[in-house]
Short mmCIF file of all heavy atoms in Angstrom, two decimals:
data_model
loop_
_atom_site.label_atom_id
_atom_site.label_comp_id
_atom_site.label_asym_id
_atom_site.label_seq_id
_atom_site.Cartn_x
_atom_site.Cartn_y
_atom_site.Cartn_z
N ARG A 223 -35.18 101.40 84.04
CA ARG A 223 -35.34 102.67 83.32
C ARG A 223 -36.76 102.87 82.90
O ARG A 223 -37.61 103.63 83.54
CB ARG A 223 -34.42 102.75 82.04
CG ARG A 223 -34.35 104.02 81.43
CD ARG A 223 -33.37 104.05 80.24
NE ARG A 223 -33.37 105.34 79.62
CZ ARG A 223 -32.66 105.59 78.50
NH1 ARG A 223 -31.94 104.66 77.92
NH2 ARG A 223 -32.58 106.81 78.09
N TRP A 224 -37.10 102.18 81.83
CA TRP A 224 -38.61 102.33 81.39
C TRP A 224 -39.48 101.45 82.24
O TRP A 224 -39.20 100.34 82.75
CB TRP A 224 -38.63 101.80 79.96
CG TRP A 224 -37.79 102.65 78.90
CD1 TRP A 224 -36.53 102.18 78.57
CD2 TRP A 224 -38.13 103.78 78.39
NE1 TRP A 224 -35.96 103.21 77.72
CE2 TRP A 224 -36.89 104.19 77.49
CE3 TRP A 224 -39.08 104.70 78.39
CZ2 TRP A 224 -36.83 105.35 76.81
CZ3 TRP A 224 -39.08 105.84 77.67
CH2 TRP A 224 -37.89 106.13 76.83
N THR A 225 -40.78 102.00 82.30
CA THR A 225 -41.72 101.33 83.12
C THR A 225 -42.88 100.80 82.24
O THR A 225 -43.05 101.23 81.07
CB THR A 225 -42.25 102.27 84.29
OG1 THR A 225 -43.01 103.30 83.68
CG2 THR A 225 -41.15 102.77 85.08
N THR A 226 -43.82 100.12 82.94
CA THR A 226 -45.03 99.61 82.31
C THR A 226 -45.91 100.82 81.65
O THR A 226 -46.30 100.73 80.50
CB THR A 226 -45.87 98.73 83.18
OG1 THR A 226 -45.08 97.65 83.65
CG2 THR A 226 -47.08 98.15 82.41
N SER A 227 -45.99 101.77 82.41
CA SER A 227 -46.78 102.96 81.98
C SER A 227 -46.13 103.61 80.82
O SER A 227 -46.83 104.04 79.85
CB SER A 227 -47.05 103.92 83.09
OG SER A 227 -47.78 103.45 84.15
N ASP A 228 -44.74 103.82 80.77
CA ASP A 228 -44.01 104.30 79.74
C ASP A 228 -44.25 103.52 78.40
O ASP A 228 -44.53 104.12 77.34
CB ASP A 228 -42.56 104.44 79.95
CG ASP A 228 -42.17 105.37 81.17
OD1 ASP A 228 -43.01 106.25 81.40
OD2 ASP A 228 -41.22 105.08 81.91
N VAL A 229 -44.06 102.26 78.51
CA VAL A 229 -43.96 101.40 77.32
C VAL A 229 -45.46 101.36 76.57
O VAL A 229 -45.64 101.12 75.52
CB VAL A 229 -43.50 99.98 77.60
CG1 VAL A 229 -43.69 99.01 76.54
CG2 VAL A 229 -41.93 100.05 78.04
N ALA A 230 -46.47 101.53 77.53
CA ALA A 230 -47.87 101.42 77.09
C ALA A 230 -48.08 102.43 75.94
O ALA A 230 -48.88 102.27 75.03
CB ALA A 230 -48.79 101.71 78.22
N ASP A 231 -47.34 103.60 76.01
CA ASP A 231 -47.50 104.58 74.94
C ASP A 231 -46.40 104.68 73.95
O ASP A 231 -46.28 105.57 73.15
CB ASP A 231 -47.65 106.03 75.62
CG ASP A 231 -48.77 106.09 76.54
OD1 ASP A 231 -49.88 105.54 76.24
OD2 ASP A 231 -48.68 106.68 77.66
N ILE A 232 -45.59 103.69 73.93
CA ILE A 232 -44.44 103.73 73.00
C ILE A 232 -44.50 102.56 71.97
O ILE A 232 -44.37 102.80 70.72
CB ILE A 232 -43.07 103.54 73.80
CG1 ILE A 232 -42.85 104.74 74.64
CG2 ILE A 232 -41.92 103.35 72.86
CD1 ILE A 232 -41.66 104.73 75.47
N VAL A 233 -44.80 101.36 72.35
CA VAL A 233 -44.77 100.15 71.53
C VAL A 233 -45.96 100.15 70.55
O VAL A 233 -47.03 100.45 70.93
CB VAL A 233 -44.77 98.83 72.24
CG1 VAL A 233 -44.92 97.61 71.45
CG2 VAL A 233 -43.66 98.81 73.28
N THR A 234 -45.54 99.95 69.24
CA THR A 234 -46.63 99.98 68.24
C THR A 234 -46.56 98.62 67.51
O THR A 234 -45.53 97.99 67.51
CB THR A 234 -46.37 101.16 67.26
OG1 THR A 234 -45.01 101.04 66.65
CG2 THR A 234 -46.56 102.57 67.85
N PRO A 235 -47.61 98.30 66.76
CA PRO A 235 -47.70 96.92 66.06
C PRO A 235 -46.65 96.77 65.03
O PRO A 235 -46.24 95.61 64.76
CB PRO A 235 -49.08 97.01 65.48
CG PRO A 235 -49.88 97.82 66.24
CD PRO A 235 -48.93 98.93 66.64
N ASN A 236 -46.06 97.83 64.45
CA ASN A 236 -45.01 97.65 63.46
C ASN A 236 -43.67 97.53 63.96
O ASN A 236 -42.72 97.54 63.17
CB ASN A 236 -45.06 98.85 62.50
CG ASN A 236 -44.81 100.28 63.12
OD1 ASN A 236 -44.97 100.31 64.33
ND2 ASN A 236 -44.35 101.15 62.35
N MET A 237 -43.52 97.55 65.28
CA MET A 237 -42.12 97.36 65.86
C MET A 237 -41.66 95.96 65.85
O MET A 237 -42.53 95.04 66.06
CB MET A 237 -42.13 97.97 67.21
CG MET A 237 -42.33 99.49 67.30
SD MET A 237 -42.41 100.07 69.04
CE MET A 237 -40.72 99.87 69.50
N SER A 238 -40.46 95.65 65.68
CA SER A 238 -39.81 94.44 65.78
C SER A 238 -39.51 93.92 67.16
O SER A 238 -39.51 94.89 68.13
CB SER A 238 -38.51 94.30 65.00
OG SER A 238 -37.42 95.09 65.50
N LEU A 239 -39.16 92.71 67.48
CA LEU A 239 -38.85 92.33 68.85
C LEU A 239 -37.57 93.00 69.25
O LEU A 239 -37.35 93.43 70.48
CB LEU A 239 -38.64 90.82 68.88
CG LEU A 239 -38.22 90.33 70.32
CD1 LEU A 239 -39.26 90.54 71.39
CD2 LEU A 239 -37.90 88.88 70.13
N LEU A 240 -36.66 93.20 68.46
CA LEU A 240 -35.44 93.88 68.72
C LEU A 240 -35.74 95.29 69.20
O LEU A 240 -35.13 95.87 70.08
CB LEU A 240 -34.52 93.98 67.51
CG LEU A 240 -33.05 94.35 67.85
CD1 LEU A 240 -32.37 93.55 68.95
CD2 LEU A 240 -32.19 94.36 66.58
N ASP A 241 -36.74 95.99 68.48
CA ASP A 241 -37.05 97.42 68.82
C ASP A 241 -37.65 97.35 70.29
O ASP A 241 -37.33 98.25 71.05
CB ASP A 241 -38.10 98.00 67.89
CG ASP A 241 -37.48 98.15 66.59
OD1 ASP A 241 -36.24 98.34 66.45
OD2 ASP A 241 -38.29 97.98 65.61
N VAL A 242 -38.55 96.40 70.53
CA VAL A 242 -39.21 96.28 71.80
C VAL A 242 -38.32 96.11 72.96
O VAL A 242 -38.31 96.72 74.07
CB VAL A 242 -40.32 95.32 71.81
CG1 VAL A 242 -40.99 95.00 73.20
CG2 VAL A 242 -41.37 95.62 70.80
N THR A 243 -37.39 95.11 72.85
CA THR A 243 -36.40 94.73 73.91
C THR A 243 -35.61 95.96 74.28
O THR A 243 -34.93 95.83 75.36
CB THR A 243 -35.69 93.49 73.52
OG1 THR A 243 -34.96 93.75 72.24
CG2 THR A 243 -36.57 92.27 73.39
N GLY A 244 -35.35 96.91 73.45
CA GLY A 244 -34.61 98.09 73.82
C GLY A 244 -35.21 98.86 74.99
O GLY A 244 -34.53 99.57 75.66
N TYR A 245 -36.56 98.60 75.32
CA TYR A 245 -37.17 99.25 76.45
C TYR A 245 -37.24 98.32 77.65
O TYR A 245 -37.87 98.79 78.66
CB TYR A 245 -38.53 99.71 75.92
CG TYR A 245 -38.54 100.69 75.00
CD1 TYR A 245 -38.73 100.36 73.66
CD2 TYR A 245 -38.42 102.05 75.19
CE1 TYR A 245 -38.86 101.31 72.52
CE2 TYR A 245 -38.31 103.01 74.19
CZ TYR A 245 -38.58 102.54 72.86
OH TYR A 245 -38.62 103.59 71.87
N LEU A 246 -36.65 97.15 77.49
CA LEU A 246 -36.76 96.07 78.57
C LEU A 246 -35.42 95.92 79.28
O LEU A 246 -34.36 96.30 78.77
CB LEU A 246 -37.39 94.84 78.03
CG LEU A 246 -38.65 94.95 77.22
CD1 LEU A 246 -39.07 93.51 76.77
CD2 LEU A 246 -39.79 95.61 78.09
N VAL A 247 -35.45 95.28 80.42
CA VAL A 247 -34.26 94.80 81.07
C VAL A 247 -33.95 93.33 80.68
O VAL A 247 -34.85 92.47 80.98
CB VAL A 247 -34.48 95.03 82.61
CG1 VAL A 247 -33.24 94.48 83.34
CG2 VAL A 247 -34.74 96.40 83.06
N GLN A 248 -32.88 93.07 80.18
CA GLN A 248 -32.37 91.80 79.71
C GLN A 248 -32.02 90.97 80.85
O GLN A 248 -31.25 91.26 81.70
CB GLN A 248 -31.31 91.85 78.63
CG GLN A 248 -31.05 90.51 78.07
CD GLN A 248 -30.10 90.63 76.89
OE1 GLN A 248 -29.56 91.66 76.61
NE2 GLN A 248 -29.88 89.47 76.12
N LEU A 249 -32.51 89.73 80.91
CA LEU A 249 -32.17 88.75 81.95
C LEU A 249 -31.63 87.45 81.22
O LEU A 249 -31.64 87.34 80.11
CB LEU A 249 -33.45 88.38 82.78
CG LEU A 249 -34.16 89.59 83.44
CD1 LEU A 249 -35.53 89.02 83.93
CD2 LEU A 249 -33.35 90.17 84.48
N PRO A 250 -31.16 86.58 82.04
CA PRO A 250 -30.51 85.37 81.46
C PRO A 250 -31.60 84.54 80.77
O PRO A 250 -32.87 84.74 81.08
CB PRO A 250 -29.92 84.60 82.59
CG PRO A 250 -29.67 85.73 83.65
CD PRO A 250 -30.76 86.69 83.54
N ASP A 251 -31.16 83.56 79.84
CA ASP A 251 -32.12 82.59 79.31
C ASP A 251 -33.14 83.31 78.46
O ASP A 251 -34.40 82.80 78.41
CB ASP A 251 -32.72 81.62 80.34
CG ASP A 251 -31.67 80.73 80.95
OD1 ASP A 251 -30.69 80.48 80.40
OD2 ASP A 251 -31.89 80.46 82.15
N ASN A 252 -32.86 84.31 77.71
CA ASN A 252 -33.88 84.93 76.88
C ASN A 252 -35.12 85.44 77.50
O ASN A 252 -36.11 85.36 76.99
CB ASN A 252 -34.28 83.91 75.70
CG ASN A 252 -34.72 84.65 74.45
OD1 ASN A 252 -34.36 85.76 74.21
ND2 ASN A 252 -35.56 83.99 73.64
N ALA A 253 -34.86 85.96 78.74
CA ALA A 253 -36.00 86.50 79.47
C ALA A 253 -35.78 87.96 79.57
O ALA A 253 -34.60 88.48 79.53
CB ALA A 253 -36.04 85.92 80.85
N TRP A 254 -36.86 88.68 79.73
CA TRP A 254 -36.88 90.12 79.82
C TRP A 254 -37.85 90.64 80.97
O TRP A 254 -38.72 89.98 81.23
CB TRP A 254 -37.39 90.70 78.50
CG TRP A 254 -36.61 90.14 77.28
CD1 TRP A 254 -36.90 89.06 76.57
CD2 TRP A 254 -35.42 90.76 76.77
NE1 TRP A 254 -35.95 88.77 75.64
CE2 TRP A 254 -35.07 89.90 75.67
CE3 TRP A 254 -34.63 91.85 76.92
CZ2 TRP A 254 -33.89 90.15 74.97
CZ3 TRP A 254 -33.60 92.06 76.22
CH2 TRP A 254 -33.16 91.14 75.13
N LEU A 255 -37.52 91.85 81.41
CA LEU A 255 -38.22 92.40 82.61
C LEU A 255 -38.78 93.75 82.22
O LEU A 255 -37.97 94.59 81.73
CB LEU A 255 -37.46 92.47 83.83
CG LEU A 255 -37.87 93.28 84.98
CD1 LEU A 255 -39.18 92.72 85.58
CD2 LEU A 255 -36.80 93.56 86.04
N LEU A 256 -40.04 94.06 82.53
CA LEU A 256 -40.48 95.35 82.42
C LEU A 256 -41.09 95.76 83.81
O LEU A 256 -42.16 95.24 84.18
CB LEU A 256 -41.67 95.45 81.41
CG LEU A 256 -42.31 96.89 81.19
CD1 LEU A 256 -41.29 97.95 80.71
CD2 LEU A 256 -43.46 96.78 80.21
#
Side-chain angles (χ1 to χ4, degrees):
R223 187 179 185 186
W224 301 95
T225 66
T226 303
S227 296
D228 297 330
V229 171
D231 296 324
I232 294 175
V233 176
T234 58
N236 62 336
M237 295 176 67
S238 67
L239 178 64
L240 188 60
D241 295 329
V242 172
T243 54
Y245 298 98
L246 309 177
V247 178
Q248 187 171 11
L249 302 171
D251 292 330
N252 203 29
W254 307 87
L255 165 68
L256 180 59

